[in-house]
Amino acid sequence: QAFVGGRGAASCGAFFHSSIAPSMRAASFTCHALMWTVLWASILLNCHVSCNAVAPATIDLDKLVHEAADTMRIAKFATLATIAADGTISGRVVYPKPPNASLGESPSLHFVSFATLSHTRKFKEIEANPHVTMVYYDDAGKGEVTLKGIMRVCNATEAAEGYYDRWTRNYPQGPATPFYTLLRLDTTQLEFVSIVRYDVQEGINRSDWRPLTLSRSLD
């Protein structure tokens, strides 16, 4: 229904309210400043709230997204999953740019960028099917951020402007490195868990353990 941990604060100029009900229906609240909608979040309130209780809670989407972005910065690397030609799932670790506005990235996590070479398997698989999943894991914080969405190939100008200097070990000529390509994930869904660092629990009162889930439209 709504958020974890019982923390309430104003977000986007208003509170976002919900309550726990026996049916545990997914809530849908939109933060217009971030254009994220809450699909599901588990209100645990220190893990002592009964699912049969009615417990109002508030959702601070700005804070949630900020904490998810911090988790991504801490994790630094992410696992990228793509769909292979034979229908299996390919996975590999990538080094995305951190979600900092100073780097031209999106602190609200609307997109994430990383570099690759245009002859790699991941590039070919993304060309064939741009639907991907990217997972950041924060071991110390017992957390993860999962981003789902559509990957697109940036044009030459975007690729040059979006180059990250910490990629130089793999791209010694910078954006002029042969076959260098910038890929950008336009996110449509964000899942967030941070059990230790930010007290964002998994959906343990759901049979599928679905974590906090936000969604947005690319339209």
Side-chain angles (χ1 to χ4, degrees), residues 3-24:
F3 181 48
V4 174
R7 301 170 301 172
S11 174
C12 302
F15 285 108
F16 294 84
H17 298 278
S18 182
S19 62
I20 296 179
S23 65
M24 301 304 290

Side-chain angles (χ1 to χ4, degrees), residues 89-138:
I89 306 299
S90 300
R92 77 287 288 164
V93 175
V94 295
Y95 186 6
K97 293 173 70 177
N100 300 342
S102 61
L103 296 174
E105 293 297 288
S106 173
S108 56
L109 308 185
H110 289 181
F111 63 85
V112 178
S113 307
F114 69 93
T116 191
L117 299 175
S118 60
H119 52 58
T120 59
R121 183 181 65 170
K122 75 172 81 65
F123 183 87
K124 301 301 183 185
E125 290 178 351
I126 287 167
E127 275 193 317
N129 189 331
H131 293 84
V132 307
T133 297
M134 188 180 290
V135 182
Y136 296 76
Y137 177 59
D138 172 17

Side-chain angles (χ1 to χ4, degrees), residues 171-201:
Y171 305 93
Q173 298 176 49
T177 301
F179 306 107
Y180 160 77
T181 303
L182 187 69
L183 298 177
R184 177 163 293 167
L185 171 60
D186 291 323
T187 54
T188 58
Q189 188 164 300
L190 183 159
E191 297 177 0
F192 181 39
V193 174
S194 184
I195 295 172
V196 172
R197 195 181 302 281
Y198 292 119
D199 192 26
V200 180
Q201 306 296 317

Side-chain angles (χ1 to χ4, degrees), residues 1-8 16-22 24-29 38-60 64 192 199-206 209-213:
Q1 304 283 41
F3 181 48
V4 174
R7 301 170 301 172
F16 294 84
H17 298 278
S18 182
S19 62
I20 296 179
M24 301 304 290
R25 291 188 301 271
S28 180
F29 305 105
V38 178
L39 287 184
W40 167 259
S42 171
I43 306 178
L44 295 184
L45 299 178
N46 299 322
C47 304
H48 296 305
V49 174
S50 165
C51 288
N52 294 319
V54 177
T58 58
I59 304 172
D60 184 347
L64 279 174
F192 181 39
D199 192 26
V200 180
Q201 306 296 317
E202 287 189 287
I204 58 176
N205 53 349
R206 288 176 57 108
W209 279 42
R210 184 176 183 178
L212 167 76
T213 305

